[in-house]
Amino acid sequence: MSTYRILSIDGGGIRGLIPAIVLQRLSATPGLEQLIPRIDLLAGTSTGGLLALALAHGLDLARIRQTYIDKGPRIFDDSWLDDVLDLGKLRGADYSITNLKRETKALFGDTTLGRLRQRVLITAFDLDNEDPRRRTWKPKLFHNFPGPDHDRAMLARDVALYTSAAPTYFPSVDGHIDGGVFAANPAMCALAQSQDRRYDPTPSLDEVVLLSLGTGTSLNYIKGAVHNWGYVQWLKPLVSIMLDGTAGIADYQCRQLLADRYHRLAPVFPRGMSIPMDGVDRIPYMVDYAESLDLTATIAWLKAVW
């Protein structure tokens, strides 16, 4: 029996620094030096999509890590003038897409999905399919599998922008927004893609092993039994509720289907520590946090199953 290896990485904005450092540590572990090259499918949402594309492009983990540290504050740079024009964040996205566009071009140049070294599955959401017979919005999964319905001609830098266009944080790009609206954790999407018989190879389910990486979870809750809220009250917590909810259900589904051939590393921040997707002021904390995470169970699983 052959083994089909999937790495899935959640969304989370600047918190993508955490799985970048985790992967760097895992790849430096004796016996796991070929962790990344042996992956058959790299799946990602939002910042996880950026990571998946960068890894499939063959970029060094040290460079990816430093990009978060050096460029993150520039990407999430909100001027006072922009806040004034946006009426204090009530109208318009928090951040311009310009700096993120510059960095994705620096990372990927004119590389297409078809020229990447490894297979990828990147989530986004298409706001308008422009189909005159049934015009609607829909989830979009960009992939580079040879065969029907592929996206191999798409520029990696464009797909990176589509998957990263988180509502309220960035404007939409070419009619696409962040895939986190339906798959903050893309593990189940990746598992389903592996079973699509239109593409070769199509492993049997018992040949699939899946490593799922979170970007750090804050211990959030809403106190009380009844909340008679409207748009204004729900707007602030709703994005976090949506992301945490979809991540949790994907974890449940993969665990039920794959059992011990599935492993998820989803670190939880200490009580009182909350890191938003644009929390660039917490970069030093995230570096220390990711460097000190206990990876014992993950390393043991990788050596036994991967």
Side-chain angles (χ1 to χ4, degrees):
M1 179 192 304
S2 59
T3 300
Y4 189 91
R5 300 171 180 86
I6 300 175
L7 172 64
S8 172
I9 310 175
D10 288 13
I14 193 62
R15 299 197 309 270
L17 175 60
I18 293 172
I21 293 174
V22 165
L23 287 170
Q24 191 178 30
R25 291 179 57 197
L26 292 174
S27 297
T29 302
L32 298 180
E33 295 88 351
Q34 295 302 306
L35 171 65
I36 303 300
R38 297 182 71 190
I39 293 170
D40 295 288
L41 175 58
L42 289 151
T45 289
S46 192
T47 194
L50 285 171
L51 276 165
L53 289 165
L55 293 171
H57 190 36
L59 297 182
D60 183 73
L61 279 163
R63 179 184 176 186
I64 297 171
R65 169 181 177 157
Q66 207 58 40
T67 297
Y68 277 96
I69 295 171
D70 294 341
K71 309 300 183 181
R74 185 178 303 173
I75 291 169
F76 293 104
D77 181 22
D78 193 19
S79 68
W80 67 269
L81 178 59
D82 183 61
D83 276 351
V84 171
L85 294 174
D86 291 346
L87 301 180
K89 303 184 185 300
L90 291 177
R91 184 187 70 185
D94 283 351
Y95 307 103
S96 166
I97 202 73
T98 302
N99 290 332
L100 181 57
K101 183 180 292 186
R102 182 183 300 114
E103 297 309 326
T104 56
K105 185 175 182 179
L107 288 173
F108 303 111
D110 293 326
T111 300
T112 62
L113 295 190
R115 291 170 55 196
L116 295 176
R117 300 181 183 183
Q118 289 162 282
R119 298 284 177 258
V120 294
L121 184 76
I122 310 298
T123 70
F125 194 87
D126 184 357
L127 296 173
D128 182 1
N129 66 1
E130 298 182 352
D131 184 344
R133 298 167 300 175
R134 193 175 181 181
R135 193 167 185 176
T136 187
W137 53 33
K138 62 182 178 63
K140 170 61 181 175
L141 297 164
F142 290 92
H143 71 81
N144 59 353
F145 285 72
D149 193 30
H150 66 76
D151 305 287
R152 292 171 60 82
M154 290 291 303
L155 291 174
R157 68 178 191 236
D158 288 343
V159 176
L161 291 178
Y162 299 164
T163 192
S164 301
T168 75
Y169 288 91
F170 295 107
S172 62
V173 181
D174 296 338
H176 292 84
I177 59 173
D178 190 330
V181 299
F182 70 93
N185 171 357
M188 190 61 195
C189 294
L191 182 57
Q193 178 70 25
S194 76
Q195 299 303 293
D196 191 332
R197 297 195 176 278
R198 295 177 299 169
Y199 307 105
D200 184 51
T202 307
S204 63
L205 197 60
D206 60 3
E207 292 175 319
V208 176
V209 296
L210 198 160
L211 173 62
S212 175
L213 298 181
T215 58
T217 300
S218 300
L219 295 173
N220 295 318
Y221 61 91
I222 298 175
K223 187 177 180 180
V226 178
H227 302 91
N228 186 22
W229 290 354
Y231 292 119
V232 174
Q233 296 100 324
W234 276 114
L235 182 60
K236 184 176 180 180
L238 198 56
V239 173
S240 295
I241 290 172
M242 176 181 64
L243 295 177
D244 288 348
T246 60
I249 194 62
D251 175 48
Y252 168 80
Q253 291 166 331
C254 289
R255 196 173 303 279
Q256 294 299 107
L257 290 170
L258 297 178
D260 60 0
R261 287 174 287 110
Y262 168 77
H263 179 83
R264 179 160 170 81
L265 177 62
V268 178
F269 298 127
R271 181 184 301 177
M273 173 56 69
S274 180
I275 303 179
M277 290 195 290
D278 57 351
V280 293
D281 58 322
R282 303 289 171 84
I283 286 177
Y285 173 85
M286 285 188 283
V287 171
D288 291 342
Y289 179 81
E291 288 285 10
S292 62
L293 272 176
D294 184 1
L295 302 181
T296 304
T298 302
I299 291 170
W301 180 84
L302 286 168
K303 288 187 174 182
V305 177
W306 196 260

mmCIF file of all heavy atoms in Angstrom, residues 176-220:
data_model
loop_
_atom_site.group_PDB
_atom_site.id
_atom_site.type_symbol
_atom_site.label_atom_id
_atom_site.label_comp_id
_atom_site.label_asym_id
_atom_site.label_seq_id
_atom_site.Cartn_x
_atom_site.Cartn_y
_atom_site.Cartn_z
ATOM 1 N N HIS A 176 -13.337 37.958 -5.803
ATOM 2 C CA HIS A 176 -13.128 36.850 -4.870
ATOM 3 C C HIS A 176 -12.828 37.376 -3.465
ATOM 4 O O HIS A 176 -12.210 38.444 -3.313
ATOM 5 C CB HIS A 176 -11.960 35.970 -5.319
ATOM 6 C CG HIS A 176 -12.224 35.214 -6.575
ATOM 7 N ND1 HIS A 176 -12.039 35.757 -7.823
ATOM 8 C CD2 HIS A 176 -12.660 33.932 -6.781
ATOM 9 C CE1 HIS A 176 -12.337 34.862 -8.747
ATOM 10 N NE2 HIS A 176 -12.719 33.752 -8.144
ATOM 11 N N ILE A 177 -13.244 36.609 -2.474
ATOM 12 C CA ILE A 177 -12.881 36.887 -1.093
ATOM 13 C C ILE A 177 -12.327 35.609 -0.452
ATOM 14 O O ILE A 177 -12.348 34.527 -1.039
ATOM 15 C CB ILE A 177 -14.072 37.420 -0.269
ATOM 16 C CG1 ILE A 177 -15.236 36.407 -0.257
ATOM 17 C CG2 ILE A 177 -14.525 38.774 -0.795
ATOM 18 C CD1 ILE A 177 -16.367 36.801 0.680
ATOM 19 N N ASP A 178 -11.841 35.784 0.754
ATOM 20 C CA ASP A 178 -11.196 34.731 1.547
ATOM 21 C C ASP A 178 -12.058 33.472 1.637
ATOM 22 O O ASP A 178 -13.250 33.531 1.952
ATOM 23 C CB ASP A 178 -10.973 35.314 2.945
ATOM 24 C CG ASP A 178 -10.100 34.474 3.840
ATOM 25 O OD1 ASP A 178 -10.091 33.249 3.693
ATOM 26 O OD2 ASP A 178 -9.416 35.065 4.695
ATOM 27 N N GLY A 179 -11.441 32.325 1.388
ATOM 28 C CA GLY A 179 -12.149 31.050 1.504
ATOM 29 C C GLY A 179 -12.526 30.688 2.919
ATOM 30 O O GLY A 179 -13.259 29.719 3.142
ATOM 31 N N GLY A 180 -12.063 31.461 3.901
ATOM 32 C CA GLY A 180 -12.426 31.195 5.282
ATOM 33 C C GLY A 180 -13.909 31.339 5.562
ATOM 34 O O GLY A 180 -14.398 30.851 6.582
ATOM 35 N N VAL A 181 -14.644 31.979 4.649
ATOM 36 C CA VAL A 181 -16.079 32.110 4.867
ATOM 37 C C VAL A 181 -16.778 30.754 4.787
ATOM 38 O O VAL A 181 -17.904 30.610 5.256
ATOM 39 C CB VAL A 181 -16.721 33.100 3.866
ATOM 40 C CG1 VAL A 181 -16.129 34.491 4.024
ATOM 41 C CG2 VAL A 181 -16.576 32.621 2.427
ATOM 42 N N PHE A 182 -16.124 29.766 4.200
ATOM 43 C CA PHE A 182 -16.718 28.424 4.198
ATOM 44 C C PHE A 182 -15.747 27.345 4.667
ATOM 45 O O PHE A 182 -16.174 26.243 5.014
ATOM 46 C CB PHE A 182 -17.255 28.049 2.809
ATOM 47 C CG PHE A 182 -16.204 27.795 1.757
ATOM 48 C CD1 PHE A 182 -15.724 26.511 1.528
ATOM 49 C CD2 PHE A 182 -15.688 28.839 1.001
ATOM 50 C CE1 PHE A 182 -14.756 26.274 0.555
ATOM 51 C CE2 PHE A 182 -14.739 28.616 0.024
ATOM 52 C CZ PHE A 182 -14.260 27.329 -0.203
ATOM 53 N N ALA A 183 -14.445 27.620 4.694
ATOM 54 C CA ALA A 183 -13.473 26.585 5.083
ATOM 55 C C ALA A 183 -12.251 27.220 5.714
ATOM 56 O O ALA A 183 -11.178 27.247 5.121
ATOM 57 C CB ALA A 183 -13.073 25.742 3.867
ATOM 58 N N ALA A 184 -12.422 27.734 6.926
ATOM 59 C CA ALA A 184 -11.261 28.281 7.637
ATOM 60 C C ALA A 184 -10.206 27.208 7.838
ATOM 61 O O ALA A 184 -9.007 27.482 7.840
ATOM 62 C CB ALA A 184 -11.693 28.856 8.981
ATOM 63 N N ASN A 185 -10.671 25.986 8.021
ATOM 64 C CA ASN A 185 -9.817 24.805 8.072
ATOM 65 C C ASN A 185 -10.106 23.997 6.810
ATOM 66 O O ASN A 185 -11.180 23.396 6.688
ATOM 67 C CB ASN A 185 -10.124 23.991 9.329
ATOM 68 C CG ASN A 185 -9.431 22.637 9.369
ATOM 69 O OD1 ASN A 185 -8.734 22.241 8.434
ATOM 70 N ND2 ASN A 185 -9.629 21.909 10.454
ATOM 71 N N PRO A 186 -9.190 23.958 5.836
ATOM 72 C CA PRO A 186 -9.486 23.312 4.550
ATOM 73 C C PRO A 186 -9.198 21.816 4.521
ATOM 74 O O PRO A 186 -9.141 21.220 3.438
ATOM 75 C CB PRO A 186 -8.559 24.051 3.592
ATOM 76 C CG PRO A 186 -7.343 24.357 4.433
ATOM 77 C CD PRO A 186 -7.881 24.633 5.821
ATOM 78 N N ALA A 187 -9.009 21.191 5.676
ATOM 79 C CA ALA A 187 -8.616 19.771 5.706
ATOM 80 C C ALA A 187 -9.640 18.882 5.021
ATOM 81 O O ALA A 187 -9.286 17.971 4.261
ATOM 82 C CB ALA A 187 -8.398 19.329 7.150
ATOM 83 N N MET A 188 -10.926 19.119 5.280
ATOM 84 C CA MET A 188 -11.947 18.264 4.678
ATOM 85 C C MET A 188 -12.035 18.502 3.171
ATOM 86 O O MET A 188 -12.283 17.557 2.410
ATOM 87 C CB MET A 188 -13.302 18.525 5.338
ATOM 88 C CG MET A 188 -14.360 17.518 4.939
ATOM 89 S SD MET A 188 -13.918 15.823 5.418
ATOM 90 C CE MET A 188 -15.070 14.893 4.430
ATOM 91 N N CYS A 189 -11.818 19.740 2.737
ATOM 92 C CA CYS A 189 -11.781 20.030 1.299
ATOM 93 C C CYS A 189 -10.649 19.235 0.645
ATOM 94 O O CYS A 189 -10.812 18.663 -0.444
ATOM 95 C CB CYS A 189 -11.567 21.523 1.058
ATOM 96 S SG CYS A 189 -12.919 22.575 1.599
ATOM 97 N N ALA A 190 -9.492 19.209 1.297
ATOM 98 C CA ALA A 190 -8.349 18.480 0.750
ATOM 99 C C ALA A 190 -8.622 16.983 0.700
ATOM 100 O O ALA A 190 -8.278 16.304 -0.277
ATOM 101 C CB ALA A 190 -7.109 18.763 1.599
ATOM 102 N N LEU A 191 -9.242 16.460 1.748
ATOM 103 C CA LEU A 191 -9.558 15.034 1.771
ATOM 104 C C LEU A 191 -10.526 14.683 0.640
ATOM 105 O O LEU A 191 -10.352 13.672 -0.056
ATOM 106 C CB LEU A 191 -10.151 14.650 3.128
ATOM 107 C CG LEU A 191 -10.493 13.173 3.338
ATOM 108 C CD1 LEU A 191 -9.270 12.287 3.119
ATOM 109 C CD2 LEU A 191 -11.079 12.954 4.729
ATOM 110 N N ALA A 192 -11.536 15.526 0.425
ATOM 111 C CA ALA A 192 -12.483 15.293 -0.660
ATOM 112 C C ALA A 192 -11.791 15.352 -2.019
ATOM 113 O O ALA A 192 -12.058 14.543 -2.909
ATOM 114 C CB ALA A 192 -13.617 16.317 -0.589
ATOM 115 N N GLN A 193 -10.874 16.309 -2.187
ATOM 116 C CA GLN A 193 -10.142 16.431 -3.452
ATOM 117 C C GLN A 193 -9.324 15.174 -3.737
ATOM 118 O O GLN A 193 -9.237 14.721 -4.885
ATOM 119 C CB GLN A 193 -9.218 17.646 -3.404
ATOM 120 C CG GLN A 193 -8.356 17.869 -4.637
ATOM 121 C CD GLN A 193 -9.151 18.312 -5.861
ATOM 122 O OE1 GLN A 193 -10.214 18.890 -5.719
ATOM 123 N NE2 GLN A 193 -8.634 18.040 -7.048
ATOM 124 N N SER A 194 -8.768 14.592 -2.705
ATOM 125 C CA SER A 194 -7.945 13.391 -2.901
ATOM 126 C C SER A 194 -8.768 12.209 -3.404
ATOM 127 O O SER A 194 -8.218 11.273 -3.982
ATOM 128 C CB SER A 194 -7.242 13.008 -1.591
ATOM 129 O OG SER A 194 -8.143 12.390 -0.677
ATOM 130 N N GLN A 195 -10.080 12.272 -3.201
ATOM 131 C CA GLN A 195 -10.951 11.151 -3.589
ATOM 132 C C GLN A 195 -11.647 11.376 -4.925
ATOM 133 O O GLN A 195 -12.479 10.569 -5.337
ATOM 134 C CB GLN A 195 -11.992 10.909 -2.494
ATOM 135 C CG GLN A 195 -11.404 10.546 -1.139
ATOM 136 C CD GLN A 195 -10.525 9.321 -1.202
ATOM 137 O OE1 GLN A 195 -10.996 8.218 -1.446
ATOM 138 N NE2 GLN A 195 -9.225 9.497 -0.998
ATOM 139 N N ASP A 196 -11.317 12.472 -5.603
ATOM 140 C CA ASP A 196 -11.929 12.781 -6.896
ATOM 141 C C ASP A 196 -11.309 11.895 -7.982
ATOM 142 O O ASP A 196 -10.138 12.046 -8.331
ATOM 143 C CB ASP A 196 -11.709 14.258 -7.231
ATOM 144 C CG ASP A 196 -12.544 14.723 -8.418
ATOM 145 O OD1 ASP A 196 -12.860 13.890 -9.287
ATOM 146 O OD2 ASP A 196 -12.869 15.922 -8.473
ATOM 147 N N ARG A 197 -12.077 10.994 -8.525
ATOM 148 C CA ARG A 197 -11.551 10.000 -9.462
ATOM 149 C C ARG A 197 -11.271 10.561 -10.847
ATOM 150 O O ARG A 197 -10.795 9.832 -11.716
ATOM 151 C CB ARG A 197 -12.511 8.805 -9.542
ATOM 152 C CG ARG A 197 -12.640 8.092 -8.199
ATOM 153 C CD ARG A 197 -13.269 6.726 -8.321
ATOM 154 N NE ARG A 197 -13.294 6.055 -7.033
ATOM 155 C CZ ARG A 197 -12.273 5.396 -6.508
ATOM 156 N NH1 ARG A 197 -11.132 5.323 -7.189
ATOM 157 N NH2 ARG A 197 -12.364 4.820 -5.325
ATOM 158 N N ARG A 198 -11.535 11.841 -11.047
ATOM 159 C CA ARG A 198 -11.174 12.450 -12.328
ATOM 160 C C ARG A 198 -9.675 12.722 -12.424
ATOM 161 O O ARG A 198 -9.162 13.007 -13.504
ATOM 162 C CB ARG A 198 -11.929 13.767 -12.518
ATOM 163 C CG ARG A 198 -13.443 13.628 -12.636
ATOM 164 C CD ARG A 198 -14.093 14.989 -12.741
ATOM 165 N NE ARG A 198 -13.840 15.805 -11.555
ATOM 166 C CZ ARG A 198 -14.123 17.113 -11.478
ATOM 167 N NH1 ARG A 198 -14.644 17.748 -12.526
ATOM 168 N NH2 ARG A 198 -13.886 17.775 -10.362
ATOM 169 N N TYR A 199 -8.989 12.633 -11.281
ATOM 170 C CA TYR A 199 -7.568 12.984 -11.250
ATOM 171 C C TYR A 199 -6.728 11.796 -10.788
ATOM 172 O O TYR A 199 -7.184 10.972 -9.997
ATOM 173 C CB TYR A 199 -7.343 14.189 -10.329
ATOM 174 C CG TYR A 199 -8.231 15.356 -10.668
ATOM 175 C CD1 TYR A 199 -9.324 15.674 -9.868
ATOM 176 C CD2 TYR A 199 -8.002 16.124 -11.812
ATOM 177 C CE1 TYR A 199 -10.155 16.736 -10.184
ATOM 178 C CE2 TYR A 199 -8.830 17.184 -12.134
ATOM 179 C CZ TYR A 199 -9.908 17.481 -11.329
ATOM 180 O OH TYR A 199 -10.745 18.527 -11.654
ATOM 181 N N ASP A 200 -5.521 11.766 -11.292
ATOM 182 C CA ASP A 200 -4.603 10.677 -10.993
ATOM 183 C C ASP A 200 -3.386 11.232 -10.244
ATOM 184 O O ASP A 200 -2.834 12.246 -10.664
ATOM 185 C CB ASP A 200 -4.159 10.011 -12.295
ATOM 186 C CG ASP A 200 -3.276 8.798 -12.055
ATOM 187 O OD1 ASP A 200 -3.700 7.940 -11.258
ATOM 188 O OD2 ASP A 200 -2.185 8.741 -12.632
ATOM 189 N N PRO A 201 -2.964 10.585 -9.139
ATOM 190 C CA PRO A 201 -3.533 9.360 -8.575
ATOM 191 C C PRO A 201 -4.754 9.646 -7.710
ATOM 192 O O PRO A 201 -4.899 10.752 -7.188
ATOM 193 C CB PRO A 201 -2.387 8.822 -7.730
ATOM 194 C CG PRO A 201 -1.676 10.055 -7.256
ATOM 195 C CD PRO A 201 -1.766 11.035 -8.393
ATOM 196 N N THR A 202 -5.592 8.638 -7.557
ATOM 197 C CA THR A 202 -6.722 8.719 -6.636
ATOM 198 C C THR A 202 -6.522 7.651 -5.573
ATOM 199 O O THR A 202 -6.870 6.483 -5.782
ATOM 200 C CB THR A 202 -8.059 8.502 -7.356
ATOM 201 O OG1 THR A 202 -8.149 9.391 -8.458
ATOM 202 C CG2 THR A 202 -9.220 8.759 -6.416
ATOM 203 N N PRO A 203 -5.943 8.010 -4.437
ATOM 204 C CA PRO A 203 -5.669 6.994 -3.411
ATOM 205 C C PRO A 203 -6.965 6.518 -2.769
ATOM 206 O O PRO A 203 -7.968 7.243 -2.733
ATOM 207 C CB PRO A 203 -4.815 7.763 -2.397
ATOM 208 C CG PRO A 203 -5.271 9.182 -2.540
ATOM 209 C CD PRO A 203 -5.568 9.366 -4.001
ATOM 210 N N SER A 204 -6.951 5.313 -2.266
ATOM 211 C CA SER A 204 -8.077 4.866 -1.455
ATOM 212 C C SER A 204 -8.007 5.608 -0.118
ATOM 213 O O SER A 204 -6.955 6.115 0.281
ATOM 214 C CB SER A 204 -8.004 3.358 -1.222
ATOM 215 O OG SER A 204 -6.836 3.024 -0.488
ATOM 216 N N LEU A 205 -9.129 5.664 0.566
ATOM 217 C CA LEU A 205 -9.188 6.434 1.803
ATOM 218 C C LEU A 205 -8.199 5.915 2.839
ATOM 219 O O LEU A 205 -7.620 6.697 3.609
ATOM 220 C CB LEU A 205 -10.613 6.397 2.362
ATOM 221 C CG LEU A 205 -10.963 7.463 3.404
ATOM 222 C CD1 LEU A 205 -10.801 8.864 2.820
ATOM 223 C CD2 LEU A 205 -12.379 7.261 3.916
ATOM 224 N N ASP A 206 -7.962 4.602 2.847
ATOM 225 C CA ASP A 206 -7.051 4.046 3.846
ATOM 226 C C ASP A 206 -5.581 4.248 3.491
ATOM 227 O O ASP A 206 -4.692 3.826 4.235
ATOM 228 C CB ASP A 206 -7.347 2.570 4.111
ATOM 229 C CG ASP A 206 -7.208 1.697 2.876
ATOM 230 O OD1 ASP A 206 -6.817 2.227 1.815
ATOM 231 O OD2 ASP A 206 -7.488 0.492 2.983
ATOM 232 N N GLU A 207 -5.310 4.900 2.360
ATOM 233 C CA GLU A 207 -3.937 5.263 2.003
ATOM 234 C C GLU A 207 -3.611 6.711 2.361
ATOM 235 O O GLU A 207 -2.460 7.126 2.293
ATOM 236 C CB GLU A 207 -3.712 5.068 0.499
ATOM 237 C CG GLU A 207 -3.743 3.626 0.042
ATOM 238 C CD GLU A 207 -3.635 3.494 -1.454
ATOM 239 O OE1 GLU A 207 -4.271 4.291 -2.181
ATOM 240 O OE2 GLU A 207 -2.894 2.593 -1.923
ATOM 241 N N VAL A 208 -4.628 7.481 2.748
ATOM 242 C CA VAL A 208 -4.446 8.909 3.020
ATOM 243 C C VAL A 208 -4.030 9.137 4.466
ATOM 244 O O VAL A 208 -4.616 8.586 5.400
ATOM 245 C CB VAL A 208 -5.746 9.686 2.731
ATOM 246 C CG1 VAL A 208 -5.588 11.158 3.113
ATOM 247 C CG2 VAL A 208 -6.137 9.559 1.266
ATOM 248 N N VAL A 209 -2.999 9.963 4.640
ATOM 249 C CA VAL A 209 -2.648 10.479 5.963
ATOM 250 C C VAL A 209 -2.688 11.999 5.872
ATOM 251 O O VAL A 209 -2.300 12.577 4.857
ATOM 252 C CB VAL A 209 -1.267 9.984 6.442
ATOM 253 C CG1 VAL A 209 -1.268 8.489 6.606
ATOM 254 C CG2 VAL A 209 -0.159 10.424 5.505
ATOM 255 N N LEU A 210 -3.176 12.642 6.929
ATOM 256 C CA LEU A 210 -3.428 14.084 6.853
ATOM 257 C C LEU A 210 -2.936 14.782 8.111
ATOM 258 O O LEU A 210 -3.352 14.445 9.219
ATOM 259 C CB LEU A 210 -4.922 14.328 6.649
ATOM 260 C CG LEU A 210 -5.372 15.697 6.133
ATOM 261 C CD1 LEU A 210 -6.777 15.603 5.536
ATOM 262 C CD2 LEU A 210 -5.350 16.772 7.217
ATOM 263 N N LEU A 211 -2.060 15.752 7.922
ATOM 264 C CA LEU A 211 -1.590 16.619 9.004
ATOM 265 C C LEU A 211 -2.264 17.970 8.849
ATOM 266 O O LEU A 211 -2.135 18.627 7.806
ATOM 267 C CB LEU A 211 -0.073 16.778 8.950
ATOM 268 C CG LEU A 211 0.535 17.797 9.935
ATOM 269 C CD1 LEU A 211 0.272 17.381 11.383
ATOM 270 C CD2 LEU A 211 2.037 17.952 9.686
ATOM 271 N N SER A 212 -2.995 18.388 9.868
ATOM 272 C CA SER A 212 -3.726 19.658 9.852
ATOM 273 C C SER A 212 -3.115 20.605 10.876
ATOM 274 O O SER A 212 -2.965 20.246 12.047
ATOM 275 C CB SER A 212 -5.204 19.405 10.171
ATOM 276 O OG SER A 212 -5.914 20.621 10.282
ATOM 277 N N LEU A 213 -2.768 21.817 10.425
ATOM 278 C CA LEU A 213 -2.135 22.800 11.305
ATOM 279 C C LEU A 213 -3.033 24.017 11.499
ATOM 280 O O LEU A 213 -3.481 24.636 10.534
ATOM 281 C CB LEU A 213 -0.797 23.252 10.728
ATOM 282 C CG LEU A 213 0.288 22.191 10.558
ATOM 283 C CD1 LEU A 213 1.557 22.823 9.989
ATOM 284 C CD2 LEU A 213 0.595 21.493 11.881
ATOM 285 N N GLY A 214 -3.302 24.341 12.749
ATOM 286 C CA GLY A 214 -4.021 25.565 13.070
ATOM 287 C C GLY A 214 -3.057 26.723 13.212
ATOM 288 O O GLY A 214 -1.840 26.546 13.227
ATOM 289 N N THR A 215 -3.613 27.922 13.338
ATOM 290 C CA THR A 215 -2.768 29.117 13.454
ATOM 291 C C THR A 215 -2.861 29.752 14.840
ATOM 292 O O THR A 215 -2.403 30.879 15.033
ATOM 293 C CB THR A 215 -3.168 30.162 12.394
ATOM 294 O OG1 THR A 215 -4.547 30.512 12.563
ATOM 295 C CG2 THR A 215 -2.951 29.627 10.989
ATOM 296 N N GLY A 216 -3.432 29.030 15.770
ATOM 297 C CA GLY A 216 -3.573 29.563 17.118
ATOM 298 C C GLY A 216 -4.999 29.995 17.395
ATOM 299 O O GLY A 216 -5.587 30.753 16.620
ATOM 300 N N THR A 217 -5.555 29.495 18.492
ATOM 301 C CA THR A 217 -6.943 29.779 18.857
ATOM 302 C C THR A 217 -6.992 30.583 20.147
ATOM 303 O O THR A 217 -6.319 30.240 21.123
ATOM 304 C CB THR A 217 -7.722 28.463 19.042
ATOM 305 O OG1 THR A 217 -7.687 27.721 17.819
ATOM 306 C CG2 THR A 217 -9.173 28.740 19.429
ATOM 307 N N SER A 218 -7.795 31.636 20.141
ATOM 308 C CA SER A 218 -8.024 32.421 21.355
ATOM 309 C C SER A 218 -9.248 31.874 22.072
ATOM 310 O O SER A 218 -10.198 31.401 21.440
ATOM 311 C CB SER A 218 -8.243 33.896 21.008
ATOM 312 O OG SER A 218 -7.124 34.431 20.332
ATOM 313 N N LEU A 219 -9.241 31.921 23.399
ATOM 314 C CA LEU A 219 -10.352 31.403 24.201
ATOM 315 C C LEU A 219 -11.445 32.465 24.285
ATOM 316 O O LEU A 219 -11.547 33.212 25.269
ATOM 317 C CB LEU A 219 -9.855 31.003 25.591
ATOM 318 C CG LEU A 219 -8.863 29.833 25.610
ATOM 319 C CD1 LEU A 219 -8.291 29.634 27.011
ATOM 320 C CD2 LEU A 219 -9.535 28.558 25.122
ATOM 321 N N ASN A 220 -12.256 32.524 23.251
ATOM 322 C CA ASN A 220 -13.344 33.497 23.199
ATOM 323 C C ASN A 220 -14.667 32.872 23.617
ATOM 324 O O ASN A 220 -14.883 31.671 23.444
ATOM 325 C CB ASN A 220 -13.486 34.042 21.766
ATOM 326 C CG ASN A 220 -12.264 34.831 21.337
ATOM 327 O OD1 ASN A 220 -11.710 35.606 22.103
ATOM 328 N ND2 ASN A 220 -11.847 34.623 20.097
#
